[in-house]
Amino acid sequence: MRKIVINGGKPLTGEVAVSGAKNSVVALIPAILLADDIVILDGVPAISDVDSLIEIMEIMGARVIREGETLEIDPRGVKNIPMPYGKINSLRASYYFYGSLLGRFGEATVGLPGGCDLGPRPIDLHLKAFEAMGAKVSYEGDNMRLATESGQLHGTHIYFDIVTVGATINTMIAAVKAKGKTVIENAAREPEIIDVATLLNNMGARIRGAGTDVITIEGVDYLGSTRHQVIPDRIEAGSYIALAAAVGKGIRVTNVLYEHLESFIAKLDEMGVRMTIEEDSIFVEKQEALKPVNIRTAPYPGFATDLQQPVTPLLLKAEGRGNLVDTIYEKRVNHVPELARMGANIKTIGSTIIYDGPNQLTGAPVKATDLRAGAALVTAGLMAKGRTEITNIEFILRGYSNIIEKLRALGADIDIIEE
Ligand code: EPU
């Protein structure tokens, strides 16, 4: 078993660079499966979700060359075979292969996706969109089969009852090679959706409106070669900014697109966090007294659910009481008992997290129950007096590129040990 061990209480300083966005790249790689030529991605983060996606692409017949942060993918040899079940099961974003296989072959046999346990995470809206585009869904043992009669999806008009990132991107991926025009209404507006549309358009797709709540896709027959820079990870950026405010004595977080973080920065401003917004970085000063705030997560451009857990340790430093409500995943509260184990005055009532501060945390053995809970525990461990041991660290390594190296460079006493 591997653990992250932190000896906390040390003030950190220096510069930390944000990597390419996990939630973009996990869609970009499956989207490239549609290409009729070689596609290159730059700024690919060193996270285990990327390792898994590359493995799936190779098993399907793609040729992939990875050099540092650059990925060259030649998907021309991809075969129409069932997707490897075990791998699919290990990460949620594998559902993007449904869209790309359907788009390329008009059919797909796939396992059901896995991912972090944040409560129920259905994929009914993905399937509803595929069905509206002419695919029939059936189940064969552990696998799901998606198939069109004509061998090609057709364009249609789709309205999503819930704003969903995954189903918006998946429909977009499926529609780029469909026959005719697809319109997605009540589409999600996250920056990762624009990133995927940019890649596809540069390959020759005809997508308009990504980043608004109506996206229109005119199907094309051919998608060619391109080279694409993955956008910076706004969630990783927010995680480091919160960490810097909690334990930094002057930290510059670089490769940040401020426009993607406005609601998050606004909340930190409300807390009294002192920072300077620079051209593509944010300098976070050493903080004095912080004010408590109430946070409600919402679809973009609202406060991101993925930043709710990473910001919680910082909230614990504020003087007074505040609350946090996750309206996207109301069961995303597994970090709360772990923080309480470290001495935090924090609890959940129903799906509301309530905290009272300020808190001095104490190192303890804790468990990362999911990716962002893990990020919260790393920050908490750095804030705490004494030694924190975090188990289940595979969740953290799925989404934070070189996290140990990045924190060590800031002066953190952090390591991974094998037991
Ligand atoms: N939903 C449905 N049916 C569907 C799809 C979604 O009911 O078919 C519901 C979900 O249960 C949820 C809401 O709609 O309540 C929004 O879910 P969404 O589809 O937007 O989530 P996702 O696409 O599965 C992505 C990110 C998550 C992030 C959410 C924020 C990826 C690979 N994952 O998930 O990222 O929390 O959007 O909406 O892009 C993370 O990075 O830690 C993470 C979990």
Side-chain angles (χ1 to χ4, degrees):
M1 183 171 58
R2 290 197 298 169
K3 289 179 179 176
I4 290 180
V5 178
I6 302 171
N7 288 304
K10 296 192 171 55
L12 309 187
T13 182
E15 242 180 56
V16 59
V18 171
S19 299
K22 162 186 164 282
N23 288 346
S24 262
V25 82
V26 296
L28 296 170
I29 295 173
I32 292 172
L33 190 145
L34 285 168
D36 300 291
D37 206 338
I38 294 173
V39 173
I40 298 174
L41 291 180
D42 292 310
V44 175
I47 54 177
S48 61
D49 270 8
V50 167
D51 305 340
S52 303
L53 289 169
I54 291 175
E55 241 180 278
I56 295 173
M57 289 290 271
E58 287 178 333
I59 294 170
M60 300 298 289
R63 191 180 52 79
V64 184
I65 302 170
R66 187 178 192 176
E67 266 182 40
E69 294 195 336
T70 297
L71 208 56
E72 182 182 302
I73 303 177
D74 182 350
R76 286 173 293 193
V78 168
K79 296 177 290 293
N80 182 10
I81 53 171
M83 302 223 65
Y85 180 72
K87 281 286 153 205
I88 289 284
N89 196 340
S90 73
L91 83 161
R92 181 160 172 86
S94 60
Y95 55 41
Y96 291 128
F97 283 113
Y98 303 180
S100 58
L101 285 171
L102 262 178
R104 177 152 170 181
F105 298 115
E107 59 177 10
T109 304
V110 292
L112 292 170
C116 291
D117 181 14
L118 312 177
R121 296 177 78 185
I123 54 163
D124 55 313
L125 298 173
H126 302 236
L127 301 183
K128 197 174 147 189
F130 297 148
E131 283 175 328
M133 297 169 83
K136 289 219 160 32
V137 182
S138 56
Y139 296 91
E140 297 168 355
D142 280 341
N143 285 325
M144 182 171 58
R145 177 145 176 80
L146 306 162
T148 55
E149 262 175 31
S150 66
Q152 190 184 17
L153 294 170
H154 59 72
T156 188
H157 208 114
I158 291 159
Y159 172 83
F160 284 128
D161 299 318
I162 301 174
V163 177
T164 148
V165 178
T168 299
I169 294 182
N170 225 348
T171 306
M172 216 166 66
I173 291 174
V176 287
K177 278 193 156 181
K179 195 172 167 48
K181 177 168 152 182
T182 303
V183 180
I184 308 174
E185 303 233 31
N186 202 25
R189 293 180 286 163
E190 270 69 0
E192 293 74 20
I193 294 165
I194 304 179
D195 204 29
V196 176
T198 305
L199 168 84
L200 289 167
N201 281 343
N202 288 337
M203 284 158 60
R206 295 179 60 200
I207 304 171
R208 298 287 168 269
T212 75
D213 56 7
V214 182
I215 301 177
T216 307
I217 305 123
E218 297 272 359
V220 296
D221 292 332
Y222 181 86
L223 293 172
S225 179
T226 191
R227 185 165 191 145
H228 179 83
Q229 174 77 39
V230 183
I231 56 168
D233 194 313
R234 63 198 166 93
I235 308 302
E236 189 196 6
S239 303
Y240 281 117
I241 291 167
L243 179 152
V247 292
K249 56 171 190 182
I251 293 180
R252 177 167 286 107
V253 184
T254 65
N255 195 28
V256 176
L257 281 178
Y258 166 71
E259 298 70 30
H260 293 172
L261 280 162
E262 285 189 38
S263 50
F264 174 75
I265 299 290
K267 271 293 160 195
L268 296 198
D269 274 338
E270 194 183 323
M271 290 184 77
V273 170
R274 294 187 313 198
M275 60 197 146
T276 312
I277 315 293
E278 301 168 342
E279 200 177 315
D280 63 353
S281 56
I282 294 187
F283 181 74
V284 186
E285 294 173 31
K286 181 174 177 353
Q287 307 302 320
E288 303 297 334
L290 296 174
K291 294 191 280 287
V293 290
N294 299 332
I295 294 176
R296 277 178 77 80
T297 68
Y300 190 84
F303 192 101
T305 166
D306 295 339
L307 282 172
Q308 177 262 111
Q309 291 162 304
V311 84
T312 306
L314 176 66
L315 298 177
L316 295 173
K317 293 194 82 170
E319 291 172 11
R321 169 176 280 217
N323 66 56
L324 245 159
V325 179
D326 197 322
T327 68
I328 312 288
Y329 299 113
E330 60 176 43
K331 297 218 157 55
R332 204 172 201 177
V333 294
N334 289 336
H335 56 314
V336 171
E338 303 303 308
L339 292 171
R341 204 188 307 281
M342 297 175 76
N345 195 348
I346 187 167
K347 62 184 174 199
T348 48
I349 296 183
S351 52
T352 302
I353 300 172
I354 297 170
Y355 63 92
D356 272 292
N359 291 269
Q360 172 58 61
L361 302 181
T362 313
V366 286
K367 184 171 161 190
T369 50
D370 57 79
L371 167 62
R372 308 300 170 189
L377 296 178
V378 169
T379 300
L382 295 168
M383 287 162 64
K385 276 208 178 101
R387 180 178 165 102
T388 295
E389 289 192 4
I390 307 176
T391 51
N392 268 23
I393 66 168
E394 275 59 38
F395 277 120
I396 302 174
L397 304 179
R398 283 183 50 187
Y400 286 89
S401 191
N402 298 320
I403 184 167
I404 303 296
E405 294 78 358
K406 287 184 186 184
L407 289 173
R408 279 222 193 120
L410 294 174
D413 183 344
I414 182 168
D415 212 343
I416 293 186
I417 60 161
E418 196 107 23
E419 268 182 7

